[in-house]
Amino acid sequence: MTLLPTTRQAQWKMQLLFPGSMVNDGESFSAERFYQNQLHQSQLIPQHPVTRQSLRQHCRALPALAQSNPEHFRQTLASLVTGLQRLIRLVEGAALLDYHGLVLQLCRLSTLVTEPKSRKQLMLARHLVLFHYHQALLNVQLKGLRREEKHRFKRGFRFIRRYAERLGVTLERQDESGRERLMARLSLSQKLIERPYQLIRKPMGGPIWQEQAILGFSAAVAMAFATAIAFATQQAFGNFSTPFFFSLVLSYIFKDRIKEVGRHQLVDLFHSRFHQHHYRFYQRSHFLVEVKDTFFQRAGKRMAHLSSTVLAKLPTAERNRIAATWYYRRRYRQRPSASETPNLFIENLTLNLSPQLRLLPSRSDTILQYEDKQIRKYRVEQISSLYLAIESRNNQETALSTYRLDVSRQGIHRIQPIAT
């Protein structure tokens, strides 16, 4: 999900339709298990596209900002390092050498800044940029170059290695533990540099009182049922009669069942119409985005009513195979950014489907094919299909996307869009 600075309200809804082979029980997958299998990452990125010219301007502005405005210095340094890394990853072939001068310009900034804290941040940025630039150069060599580019490229590659060695910057380690320590150090440096773009998530109070009121209502209805049965049999047969005893036992048995069914049904209905979790994102002390989300599962007739828009697109045979549906809704409310240069709010959510895929039977066949005058053997997994629909609304614009996921016990094989 991407929120522009002009976006005030947005939401997206997910429907994930499962075949019967991936469902043990229509109501067995709880919201707690769903959130345990969910991973989300939220961050800010600059709104305007990064160019080499803008990065050079950042380099020229950093020495003066280190003395006059430390907060703006950290913001500019974060934009410079993340932007340069992003551009380096997009470049292919010998065109990577065009960023040679920009990398060296950033590395020399540590000699122009005397303020200790800013100088230390520049040295961390220097290590990060040199490492990722060296990795990009190695990747280009691994893929291969044209003959006329090899000499110039190798000369630039050797210069970067000698330059890093002269500065005392570690680009490689020979042993496994050394490589692990190097990556841990670089990961920590990346977090320190990107701190101006990092967000703090603060959980807010969920609908606890509403849920307790629903539970209390369910208990009251169940208790009223048991009391009414007890009063009726007591009036008809007396206090110490056998019918009164059996009716009292049975009424309390049904009281507990009524309470459990009412609790699950009413709480689930409440979550389907309102929210289950509520939290806010802050950049330092500035409140940026408020998020509310909820998850619930449907099966049988309750599933068909909510999934009608998705099920209508499926063939009859596929529609009959669907046994349960997950529903997940996420709403956003964004406040105007307090920073001078508004950023984009980016959120990536990953859902782990391994628990559902493990329910599939492990079925594979071996087939033979005659190709290029040879007989080749292939192992083919028998797949199942599940369906995904995502509806997003950004301000007043709404978009619906539907996909078919071919899966097996081994994982997701392919994702194919379905025409809307």
Side-chain angles (χ1 to χ4, degrees):
M1 189 69 179
T2 302
L3 297 184
L4 298 171
T6 56
T7 302
R8 293 297 168 260
Q9 292 185 353
Q11 75 169 4
W12 64 271
K13 293 185 283 188
M14 178 195 77
Q15 295 183 19
L16 195 58
L17 286 71
F18 290 95
S21 56
M22 299 180 69
V23 179
N24 269 342
D25 180 4
E27 303 295 337
S28 63
F29 198 86
S30 63
E32 289 76 13
R33 292 182 60 189
F34 174 83
Y35 287 107
Q36 289 173 358
N37 288 288
Q38 184 193 85
L39 172 67
H40 72 271
Q41 298 174 323
S42 304
Q43 62 177 342
L44 299 175
I45 65 170
Q47 178 184 4
H48 303 292
V50 179
T51 62
R52 277 190 292 171
Q53 183 61 29
S54 64
L55 295 181
R56 289 194 184 94
Q57 293 175 358
H58 288 337
C59 282
R60 289 193 292 267
L62 279 174
L65 291 175
Q67 303 295 331
S68 61
N69 193 336
E71 184 175 352
H72 196 189
F73 169 83
R74 291 190 293 269
Q75 182 79 37
T76 305
L77 181 62
S79 301
L80 174 60
V81 173
T82 56
L84 184 55
Q85 289 176 336
R86 194 178 304 118
L87 286 180
I88 287 174
R89 286 194 295 267
L90 296 176
V91 177
E92 296 181 356
L96 190 61
L97 293 177
D98 296 338
Y99 293 86
H100 205 85
L102 185 56
V103 171
L104 297 180
Q105 184 180 358
L106 187 148
C107 292
R108 297 189 185 107
L109 288 176
S110 58
T111 61
L112 304 176
V113 175
T114 57
E115 201 274 323
K117 194 171 183 179
S118 300
R119 180 181 172 86
K120 185 175 182 180
Q121 291 177 340
L122 284 171
M123 293 179 70
L124 294 177
R126 182 180 68 182
H127 192 182
L128 272 173
V129 170
L130 280 175
F131 176 81
H132 288 288
Y133 188 56
H134 180 256
Q135 290 291 306
L137 292 172
L138 288 174
N139 188 46
V140 170
Q141 283 194 332
L142 187 64
K143 292 181 179 179
L145 290 162
R146 294 195 299 268
R147 181 178 301 177
E148 59 273 15
E149 296 175 338
K150 287 184 178 180
H151 178 69
R152 174 172 169 258
F153 194 87
K154 288 182 178 180
R155 185 173 57 187
F157 177 71
R158 286 194 298 266
F159 176 82
I160 286 295
R161 291 179 65 89
R162 288 196 299 267
Y163 184 73
E165 184 178 356
R166 189 166 66 250
L167 294 176
V169 174
T170 303
L171 298 179
E172 297 173 333
R173 290 289 187 181
Q174 301 303 318
D175 58 321
E176 182 178 359
S177 62
R179 288 189 289 269
E180 291 172 352
R181 290 195 300 272
L182 176 61
M183 293 307 299
R185 181 181 177 184
L186 290 170
S187 178
L188 180 59
S189 299
Q190 190 81 39
K191 291 180 181 178
L192 293 174
I193 293 296
E194 293 182 347
R195 183 168 291 175
Y197 289 122
Q198 292 176 1
L199 296 170
I200 301 173
R201 189 178 72 166
K202 181 180 178 182
M204 308 299 292
I208 299 176
W209 294 109
Q210 293 90 328
E211 292 179 3
Q212 293 302 318
I214 292 173
L215 298 181
F217 176 77
S218 299
V221 171
M223 193 63 191
F225 169 80
T227 304
I229 295 296
F231 282 174
T233 53
Q234 184 184 34
Q235 187 176 7
F237 301 102
N239 283 336
F240 302 101
S241 62
T242 302
F244 175 72
F245 172 78
F246 283 107
S247 67
L248 197 64
V249 172
L250 291 175
S251 66
Y252 272 81
I253 292 175
F254 283 106
K255 175 185 78 71
D256 292 336
R257 296 307 93 209
I258 291 173
K259 184 173 67 174
E260 288 297 317
V261 172
R263 182 181 69 176
H264 287 97
Q265 296 291 337
L266 293 177
V267 170
D268 194 52
L269 180 63
F270 174 82
H271 288 160
S272 67
R273 295 184 179 275
F274 298 97
H275 66 274
Q276 194 169 4
H277 296 93
H278 177 201
Y279 42 87
R280 292 176 177 175
F281 287 97
Y282 292 85
Q283 184 187 23
R284 295 186 291 275
S285 59
H286 302 298
F287 166 45
L288 296 182
V289 181
E290 182 180 55
V291 178
K292 296 180 180 180
D293 68 350
T294 189
F295 167 83
F296 55 98
Q297 185 178 217
R298 289 289 183 265
K301 295 180 179 179
R302 301 167 69 202
M303 172 201 70
H305 173 68
L306 291 172
S307 303
S308 57
T309 56
V310 182
L311 293 173
K313 298 178 173 55
L314 305 182
T316 304
E318 290 293 312
R319 192 183 311 153
N320 295 333
R321 292 176 57 249
I322 302 301
T325 305
W326 291 357
Y327 293 87
Y328 181 66
R329 182 176 66 241
R330 199 168 178 87
R331 294 175 176 173
Y332 304 85
R333 183 175 65 86
Q334 185 174 220
R335 286 192 175 181
S337 177
S339 61
E340 297 178 1
T341 55
N343 300 309
L344 300 177
F345 176 83
I346 303 291
E347 189 170 53
N348 296 317
L349 285 94
T350 304
L351 180 62
N352 181 15
L353 292 178
S354 297
Q356 275 59 50
L357 296 183
R358 283 196 293 268
L359 297 176
L360 292 172
S362 181
R363 299 176 299 179
S364 62
D365 295 321
T366 301
I367 64 173
L368 302 177
Q369 290 187 192
Y370 187 73
E371 297 179 358
D372 300 329
K373 299 182 180 180
Q374 293 182 353
I375 299 176
R376 299 184 183 273
K377 183 185 295 186
Y378 293 96
R379 182 180 177 181
V380 181
E381 295 284 340
Q382 295 188 17
I383 62 172
S384 298
S385 297
L386 56 93
Y387 297 89
L388 171 68
I390 296 179
E391 179 184 349
S392 60
R393 181 180 300 171
N394 202 322
N395 287 338
Q396 300 300 323
E397 298 179 3
T398 303
L400 175 64
S401 302
T402 310
Y403 305 91
R404 187 183 74 195
L405 283 67
D406 294 331
V407 300
S408 72
R409 196 180 178 90
Q410 305 301 319
I412 298 177
H413 293 248
R414 65 193 61 86
I415 301 177
Q416 299 178 344
I418 300 176
T420 58

